[in-house]
Amino acid sequence: MKLAIGSDHAGLALKTALLPYLESRMIPYEDFGTDTPDSVDYPRIAERVCKAILSGQFDRGILVCGTGIGMSISANKFPGIRAAAVSDPYSAILAKRHNNANVLCMGGRVVGTGLATLITEGWLNASFEGARHQRRLDIISRIEQRNQFASVASSAQEEHETINNEQDDTKPLTTDI
Ligand code: RB5
């Protein structure tokens, strides 16, 4: 189990406070930033962590921002990432058991270090239950794929219309109508 971890400025203190816990459990991790209190845009950090997971080099990720919400919205834009913004251990455990969440998001302005440690522990110790939950994740994957195709198709349609309009623009205007 290798963890990719990241935060923005609002999550930096909580992320830093979680590192000794990961070390005590001998969980290898890599910190993808930020490492200063200067303001940074959380989607950039989410992108680093999600790409590291999708590359196969890391198994799971932890993302911390002010609320955990911006990080989870950003992370869930990456097909194959299932990010859960969580503020209690029960949701963290269920996020793994039922949703197979591979990214845990927390809010540094929402939870303290003690609670965040319990949340992290619950999520790390839980196992995905599969069965009906796998069926539901498969539906999510198919929705994701359909929407990828839809967005490719709509870009192609826009391109097609642009080309046609450009061609139309070159035609002389008819006067016999
Ligand atoms: C930063 O101020 C804050 O908006 C960010 O950390 C996060 O909470 C967004 O969802």
Side-chain angles (χ1 to χ4, degrees), residues 8-11 39-40 42 64-71 73 107 109:
D8 71 357
H9 53 288
S39 181
V40 288
Y42 58 81
V64 191
C65 61
T67 57
I69 295 171
M71 284 296 197
I73 291 174
R109 294 172 179 162

Side-chain angles (χ1 to χ4, degrees), residues 27-102:
I27 295 171
Y29 67 84
E30 187 169 327
D31 187 350
F32 286 81
T34 187
D35 46 19
T36 76
D38 300 334
S39 181
V40 288
D41 296 327
Y42 58 81
R44 298 187 189 284
I45 306 291
E47 183 174 25
R48 288 185 194 167
V49 165
C50 292
K51 282 185 171 169
I53 296 167
L54 294 171
S55 76
Q57 287 175 283
F58 294 83
D59 303 294
R60 298 196 199 180
I62 295 179
L63 286 167
V64 191
C65 61
T67 57
I69 295 171
M71 284 296 197
S72 66
I73 291 174
S74 309
N76 281 317
K77 298 296 175 197
F78 291 83
I81 295 293
R82 292 171 303 278
V86 162
S87 304
D88 67 277
Y90 176 78
S91 303
I93 293 167
L94 270 289
K96 187 64 197 169
R97 285 189 190 165
H98 286 193
N99 313 112
N100 202 13
N102 50 5

